[in-house]
Amino acid sequence: AQTVTQSQPEMSVQEAETVTLSCTYDTSENNYYLFWYKQPPSRQMILVIRQEAYKQQNATENRFSVNFQKAAKSFSLKISDSQLGDTAMYFCAFMKHYLGNQGGKLIFGQGTELSVKP
Amino acid sequence: GAVVSQHPSRVICKSGTSVKIECRSLDFQATTMFWYRQFPKQSLMLMATSNEGSKATYEQGVEKDKFLINHASLTLSTLTVTSAHPEDSSFYICSARDGQGLSYNEQFFGPGTRLTVL
């Protein structure tokens, strides 16, 4: 069975600074996807960034980037130039590769509550 | 694109009554839908996976007769909490996946429903 672990329940960062959120996972699968989701106070889940395990290049989306270490089963999220709107709960998630219309289950970590301070 | 709606956003009911929550994919066909439960400051707990036209697959520990899931069409899934009790009070989130589309490896989340049982 797959597991996802986020060992930082809470973190804080000053506005405009950089912060890194940690995530490790355990799986015997070779083909899978990793995600970071943001859940602001509205509680709407928002996809921040996605990484395909078969890609060696780390994914980047504007101020958000990941450090994907497949051998170490590590998937950290770096937020650069932190903004007040980045304040949210962040969840790391794992999905096995599926074909067709079956499956697609997400396994979530415990979450990291990030506060961006002015 | 890829919008998922939930209705109602909030519901308050008396103990012993049943409550139905709807989850709709507005601009794509959701071959698979997922129902999650989330307690404050905690992660999302998967309750069940439903594929259109077939019975839902429930996670271990989730009562099938308590949480009835119907996925009758490619755009609508419903969760009915039967004989609700105060311990069923929670935030319920649905997500949908288009297993046939280009984003087959992604889930799209609804805004959630806050259920309060008095």
Side-chain angles (χ1 to χ4, degrees):
Chain A
Q2 291 81 25
T3 59
V4 178
T5 302
Q6 293 176 249
S7 58
Q8 305 153 314
E10 298 177 353
M11 293 191 73
S12 66
V13 63
Q14 290 295 130
E15 196 175 7
E17 297 290 305
T18 296
V19 64
T20 299
L21 279 57
S22 301
C23 173
T24 58
Y25 60 95
D26 189 26
T27 184
S28 58
E29 301 286 333
N30 189 52
N31 201 0
Y32 51 88
Y33 306 92
L34 295 164
F35 306 84
W36 278 98
Y37 284 92
K38 168 185 177 180
Q39 189 180 41
S42 68
R43 303 190 78 170
Q44 171 72 58
M45 294 289 283
I46 300 166
L47 178 64
V48 174
I49 200 164
R50 171 178 53 222
Q51 175 79 42
E52 289 87 347
Y54 65 87
K55 290 187 178 178
Q56 292 187 338
Q57 187 172 7
N58 290 323
T60 299
E61 289 288 341
N62 300 313
R63 298 183 294 107
F64 299 88
S65 62
V66 298
N67 183 2
F68 173 48
Q69 301 289 328
K70 190 172 183 180
K73 295 180 182 173
S74 169
F75 183 62
S76 61
L77 174 69
K78 185 171 84 171
I79 305 175
S80 303
D81 185 26
S82 297
Q83 301 176 357
L84 296 178
D86 295 334
T87 292
M89 182 75 89
Y90 286 81
F91 293 101
C92 178
F94 171 99
M95 178 195 288
K96 287 196 309 183
H97 175 71
Y98 289 89
L99 291 175
N101 60 2
Q102 299 291 323
K105 184 190 299 189
L106 278 170
I107 309 298
F108 285 95
Q110 304 91 324
T112 296
E113 189 168 14
L114 176 68
S115 297
V116 180
K117 300 185 183 305
Chain B
V3 178
V4 176
S5 70
Q6 268 184 255
H7 178 79
S9 58
R10 291 174 178 265
V11 57
I12 300 173
C13 69
K14 292 182 179 180
S15 186
T17 61
S18 294
V19 173
K20 180 183 285 189
I21 302 170
E22 292 186 348
C23 177
R24 293 182 185 272
S25 57
L26 300 185
D27 50 6
F28 68 99
Q29 293 186 326
T31 50
T32 309
M33 284 184 166
F34 304 86
W35 287 96
Y36 298 87
R37 185 173 181 176
Q38 186 182 32
F39 292 105
K41 303 284 189 180
Q42 293 188 23
S43 189
L44 281 70
M45 182 192 80
L46 180 65
M47 299 174 67
T49 302
S50 73
N51 289 293
E52 185 266 338
S54 60
K55 288 185 178 180
T57 302
Y58 291 82
E59 294 299 302
Q60 192 171 8
V62 178
E63 299 176 60
K64 300 178 183 181
D65 297 331
K66 175 76 170 174
F67 300 100
L68 299 178
I69 291 172
N70 184 279
H71 191 165
S73 78
L74 283 171
T75 59
L76 173 65
S77 177
T78 59
L79 167 67
T80 301
V81 183
T82 62
S83 186
H85 290 284
E87 58 265 30
D88 299 324
S89 297
S90 189
F91 193 68
Y92 292 88
I93 304 173
C94 74
S95 70
R97 174 175 176 259
D98 177 5
Q100 310 287 355
L102 294 177
S103 299
Y104 67 92
N105 59 5
E106 186 173 346
Q107 288 187 24
F108 302 97
F109 286 83
T113 297
R114 180 176 300 285
L115 170 63
T116 303
V117 185
L118 301 176

